[in-house]
Amino acid sequence: MADILIVGAGPVGLTMAAELARYGVPVRIVDRAAQATQTSKALVVWSRTLELMDRMGCTPAFLDAGLRAHAAAMRSGTTLLGRARFDDIRSPYNFALMLPQRDTERLLSLHLRSLGVEVERQVELAAFAEGPDGVEARLRHPDGREERVHAPWLIGCDGAHSAVRHGLGFEFRGSAQEDDWLLADIRFEGRDRPAPDEVSIFLHRDGPLVAFPMPGGRARVVATVGKADPGGARPDPSLSDVQALVDRRCGGDMRVADPAWLSRFRINERKVARYGRGRVFLAGDAAHVHSPAGGQGMNTGMQDAFNLAWKLAMVVRGQGAAALLDSYSPERSAVGDMVLRNATRLTDIATLSAPAAQAARNVALRLLLSLHTVQDRLANMMGEVEIGYAGSPLSVGHGAGARVVPEHYGGSAPGSGGTPRFLLFTDDVRRGTAVAARYPQLLDAPRKAVGPDRLLAVRPDGYIGLSAPPGDWDALEAYLRRLA
Ligand SMILES: Cc1cc2nc3c(=O)[nH]c(=O)nc-3n(C[C@H](O)[C@H](O)[C@H](O)COP(=O)(O)OP(=O)(O)OC[C@H]3O[C@@H](n4cnc5c(N)ncnc54)[C@H](O)[C@@H]3O)c2cc1C
């Protein structure tokens, strides 16, 4: 079996490579950069990503390295408007795991190495041509040498400026926001410094300032600093710029010290309409970029990888029909649209500039965040546990597409082993065993239903594929015939 070629070893490419390798699919992963990310970039690993990592078998290392944040508090100056408590997220991981992206990449690389795969660094995808049975790719090595490879599948995890997306000729539709943002990884000192285990959002008439706790007693500050200059980038901020913003927007006794990273960024909101064509796929920032509000970018990308990996593994291993792959783009593009909408909405609310609108917003937030249902909804949205695939071609029956709550597994999560298979939940285990014997490539040994009284076929990524009345074995057979 020839290697699947993965371009880009950011968090998304590493997840993709590790998942395919875990399923015994040979991969090659290349990255043009000499080394992995050295900065903190994406800071939050959310609940649903951690649940999916359980299947990879590497969650404990992440939990050990990260810091657990339990809430996001919104303030106007020193006045608390309200809190969204992550403790309410319906997941065993009911917190935001704060972990700098360099550590996420380091831990994913170690996990990948444990599966026998090394990232090939300073190797750049120069071009590729699509064919009926794969792609012909040109890889450029650091000594200038060009290598031609045939790969049965090409996966572009090569970030916002993706060469794979350009090669496909796909439009990255969207726009750049007008605001310029400051980013600072610092230490807070002083009596009123933000709590070390929650995200602190300060809404101010000049714009928002957000402080994220980080492991090791540090914090990340991001804040708007005015309209971006179309004529060129501003210089990186200094520590005193950060202190001036903190003084003005947060109030109280709060000092910043010991900067590790001072930078600026602009927010781009862009997405492709399709996540691939033929034997070429896109995942992560190559397919969607958006505001960091809500910290969803990396998480959404890693979940693209989880979604594609089991489908591709089943097809490559001859366990399932190629039609499985047709569900990747509609499922993940719908999620990308939703994440983009939510991130834009959050950013727009936080950056309202008219004083009357700001005052109305603060009153509304105070009221809404006092309601448990609103807090609960917000926390579960951020934790990404509400994501589902109801409209997917793979979802059949009432409630199909929903995530199966981990306590309903009644054992290890589906998809935890080295073979991707659907898991059947039924009250009639004897009959389920007979069906599983006829579709050994698709189905694991059935489990007694713990949750709703339905006949369920749960996908390797823990979402319900088929949901049928308890005795409707014909529906199950029809579903399996379609996937076989
Ligand atoms: C300041 C900042 C804060 C952020 N905060 C958050 C957050 O809190 N939560 C969150 O979820 N997200 C956050 N993000 C977004 C997050 O960093 C990205 O979504 C994430 O890095 C995307 O991962 P990726 O693997 O898709 O792409 P990348 O991390 O961009 O990796 C792409 C890789 O592809 C390689 N590459 C590119 N072209 C080629 C080529 N032709 N050949 C070979 N290799 C190539 C690059 O060298 C790179 O290593 C933040 C981003 C920034 C900048």
Side-chain angles (χ1 to χ4, degrees), residues 334-390:
V335 171
D337 285 333
M338 182 199 67
V339 169
L340 225 93
R341 263 194 318 273
N342 289 343
T344 306
R345 208 173 287 156
L346 285 176
T347 312
D348 288 349
I349 292 171
T351 54
L352 279 173
S353 57
Q358 291 178 344
R361 170 198 63 198
N362 292 359
V363 171
L365 281 174
R366 213 167 179 161
L367 177 70
L368 289 170
L369 288 172
S370 69
L371 303 174
H372 185 74
T373 42
V374 175
Q375 283 187 24
D376 185 69
R377 192 71 219 285
L378 196 59
N380 280 288
M381 181 193 90
M382 308 247 285
E384 299 199 338
V385 294
E386 289 189 338
I387 286 172
Y389 302 123

Side-chain angles (χ1 to χ4, degrees), residues 214-435:
M214 292 170 75
R218 290 193 161 275
R220 148 89 54 84
V221 173
V222 295
T224 49
V225 287
K227 298 291 168 217
D229 173 9
R234 301 182 200 210
D236 283 345
S238 65
L239 190 62
S240 49
D241 293 336
V242 184
Q243 184 65 56
L245 275 173
V246 166
D247 289 344
R248 187 161 164 75
R249 297 197 190 173
C250 310
D253 173 27
M254 224 187 264
R255 290 179 302 280
V256 294
D258 193 14
W261 187 29
L262 297 167
S263 187
R264 290 186 187 277
F265 65 93
R266 268 186 89 182
I267 295 173
N268 268 278
E269 296 171 322
R270 298 179 190 279
K271 189 179 151 289
V272 291
R274 295 199 298 163
Y275 280 31
R277 179 173 66 209
R279 289 177 167 261
V280 184
F281 297 100
L282 297 171
D285 276 19
H288 47 80
V289 291
H290 37 83
S291 154
Q296 311 280 298
M298 179 184 76
N299 288 268
T300 304
M302 288 172 72
Q303 291 179 38
D304 293 341
F306 287 117
N307 186 295
L308 178 58
W310 70 265
K311 295 170 182 170
L312 194 50
M314 282 187 105
V315 171
V316 168
R317 293 167 54 122
Q319 288 177 245
L324 276 170
L325 294 168
D326 297 339
S327 65
Y328 169 65
S329 180
E331 287 185 356
R332 293 309 299 172
S333 180
V335 171
D337 285 333
M338 182 199 67
V339 169
L340 225 93
R341 263 194 318 273
N342 289 343
T344 306
R345 208 173 287 156
L346 285 176
T347 312
D348 288 349
I349 292 171
T351 54
L352 279 173
S353 57
Q358 291 178 344
R361 170 198 63 198
N362 292 359
V363 171
L365 281 174
R366 213 167 179 161
L367 177 70
L368 289 170
L369 288 172
S370 69
L371 303 174
H372 185 74
T373 42
V374 175
Q375 283 187 24
D376 185 69
R377 192 71 219 285
L378 196 59
N380 280 288
M381 181 193 90
M382 308 247 285
E384 299 199 338
V385 294
E386 289 189 338
I387 286 172
Y389 302 123
S392 165
L394 286 188
S395 300
V396 175
H398 178 69
R403 153 182 166 270
V404 178
V405 184
E407 56 262 33
H408 288 168
Y409 297 153
S412 59
S416 306
T419 306
R421 285 200 197 95
F422 283 64
L423 189 51
L424 202 58
F425 287 90
T426 171
D427 277 337
D428 189 346
V429 171
R430 203 172 52 85
R431 182 133 187 208
T433 306
V435 179

Side-chain angles (χ1 to χ4, degrees), residues 67-266:
L67 177 147
R68 298 173 190 203
H70 295 286
M74 283 195 206
R75 292 186 170 77
S76 173
T78 49
T79 307
L80 181 68
L81 299 174
R83 272 196 176 80
R85 292 187 192 287
F86 304 148
D87 308 341
D88 295 334
I89 298 176
R90 285 180 290 280
S91 167
Y93 304 110
N94 55 345
F95 46 82
L97 188 76
M98 310 306 294
L99 186 69
Q101 187 169 326
R102 60 170 175 271
D103 292 320
T104 297
E105 291 188 18
R106 178 178 56 79
L107 293 173
L108 285 172
S109 300
L110 285 174
H111 176 65
L112 184 60
R113 184 172 298 157
S114 76
L115 296 163
V117 180
E118 284 290 339
V119 175
E120 295 175 50
R121 294 222 156 262
Q122 293 180 280
V123 179
E124 179 176 14
L125 175 79
F128 68 91
E130 301 165 74
D133 62 348
V135 297
E136 305 299 323
R138 276 198 293 124
L139 300 179
R140 198 172 296 131
H141 286 259
D143 57 5
R145 178 172 56 92
E146 277 209 347
E147 178 193 353
R148 287 172 185 273
V149 286
H150 171 85
W153 306 90
L154 170 67
I155 311 178
C157 306
D158 47 349
H161 304 286
S162 170
V164 177
R165 189 185 64 238
H166 288 301
L168 286 170
F170 283 6
E171 191 183 350
F172 209 24
R173 187 171 292 173
S175 59
Q177 269 207 346
E178 289 181 353
D179 288 319
D180 210 359
W181 292 72
L182 160 154
L183 174 155
D185 286 356
I186 45 89
R187 278 182 206 283
F188 274 114
E189 295 169 352
R191 194 187 56 239
D192 301 316
R193 66 183 179 275
D197 64 347
E198 66 179 27
V199 177
S200 301
I201 303 163
F202 297 89
L203 299 173
H204 187 270
R205 61 178 174 278
D206 294 351
L209 183 148
V210 186
F212 300 88
M214 292 170 75
R218 290 193 161 275
R220 148 89 54 84
V221 173
V222 295
T224 49
V225 287
K227 298 291 168 217
D229 173 9
R234 301 182 200 210
D236 283 345
S238 65
L239 190 62
S240 49
D241 293 336
V242 184
Q243 184 65 56
L245 275 173
V246 166
D247 289 344
R248 187 161 164 75
R249 297 197 190 173
C250 310
D253 173 27
M254 224 187 264
R255 290 179 302 280
V256 294
D258 193 14
W261 187 29
L262 297 167
S263 187
R264 290 186 187 277
F265 65 93
R266 268 186 89 182

